[in-house]
Amino acid sequence: MPQKTEAERRSLVRAVEHRADDDGKVTVVGYAAVVGEIADIGGYFHEVLAPGAFTETLKTADVRAYFDHDRGRVLGRKSAGTLRLSEDAKGLAVEIDLPDTSDGRDVRVLIERGDVSGMSFGFVVTRQEWDETGDIPVRTIHEVELHEVSIVSEPAYDGTSIAMRSLEKVRNERQAPHPAHQRIASRRALMEQRFRRIARNPA
């Protein structure tokens, strides 16, 4: 069964761009996530997004775009066509048609000035694996449920504690005896008990 955790956020510190068409429509273009790159999450662990992590969620998720993850500051929506998301060899590509609102105009000016430093995405992990063979645990995220993307003024990694709880759960599961092994051990113990009884009371 897919492993599901609480919502997390990751930011990508990459310049976002904007372009305007002849009608004055302004579109923000950038990446909210990249695949295959190792990110150091607070010194606690390394994290890698695997190629294809967004494939399934982009088929069904009605994602919204916000400014600074504020749900009251909507910039676009996938079902409305004002937010377009695609997964390519680089990562999660984002296009947002900025609305003619105070937030939309503010975001345009902030990008022009270079004050906005990246994009971010909010997600729930549905499939992952941990590798602890090295000095620092490595988390590979194979599949996510995408909730939102944001243009952010201050990129951050939110959800470190959630990921660490996930790692602790994996460690506990590795240490716990497998049910099948427990059944085999129980059968062996029962057979040994029967053998001892036969040895004590031969026919």
Side-chain angles (χ1 to χ4, degrees):
M1 293 292 292
Q3 185 177 359
K4 201 163 186 178
T5 60
E6 301 169 66
E8 302 179 48
R9 291 173 183 164
R10 296 289 184 269
S11 297
L12 182 64
V13 185
R14 297 277 176 88
V16 293
E17 303 175 359
H18 75 285
R19 57 181 181 234
D21 61 17
D22 294 336
D23 297 328
K25 182 179 72 175
V26 178
T27 300
V28 173
V29 180
Y31 280 84
V34 293
V35 299
E37 290 189 3
I38 297 176
D40 184 346
I41 310 298
Y44 296 104
F45 59 93
H46 291 164
E47 187 173 82
V48 181
L49 273 169
F54 299 96
T55 300
E56 291 303 316
T57 192
L58 290 182
K59 294 177 182 179
T60 57
D62 185 13
V63 182
R64 290 171 174 80
Y66 301 120
F67 181 53
D68 274 340
H69 299 288
D70 187 338
R71 293 186 178 185
R73 309 176 76 178
V74 179
L75 299 176
R77 184 175 180 178
K78 185 169 175 282
S79 63
T82 53
L83 167 64
R84 292 173 295 282
L85 301 166
S86 61
E87 186 178 30
D88 58 24
K90 185 175 181 179
L92 181 62
V94 179
E95 292 187 2
I96 308 168
D97 296 333
L98 292 180
D100 187 17
T101 62
S102 58
D103 282 328
R105 293 188 292 270
D106 288 348
V107 167
R108 176 180 181 175
V109 172
L110 290 171
I111 293 174
E112 289 174 345
R113 284 161 47 101
D115 296 334
V116 169
S117 52
M119 286 189 177
S120 181
F121 69 105
F123 63 102
V124 168
V125 174
T126 55
R127 189 161 61 89
Q128 64 182 330
E129 65 177 324
W130 289 90
D131 180 1
E132 294 187 84
T133 56
D135 295 333
I136 299 177
V138 178
R139 181 196 202 193
T140 302
I141 299 177
H142 291 283
E143 190 172 334
V144 303
E145 182 181 280
L146 184 63
H147 288 182
E148 49 103 350
V149 295
S150 282
I151 296 174
V152 291
S153 55
E154 188 174 348
Y157 291 104
D158 297 330
T160 303
S161 62
I162 296 170
M164 294 304 290
R165 289 201 300 271
S166 171
L167 175 58
E168 189 63 28
K169 180 180 178 182
V170 170
R171 286 173 173 169
N172 292 338
E173 289 175 348
R174 286 173 180 166
Q175 293 172 359
H178 191 281
H181 297 166
Q182 290 179 316
R183 288 195 296 271
I184 292 171
S186 297
R187 289 174 184 170
R188 285 178 178 171
L190 182 59
M191 290 175 66
E192 288 176 0
Q193 288 175 358
R194 290 175 177 171
F195 177 78
R196 285 195 294 269
R197 284 199 298 271
I198 293 171
R200 287 197 303 267
N201 303 293

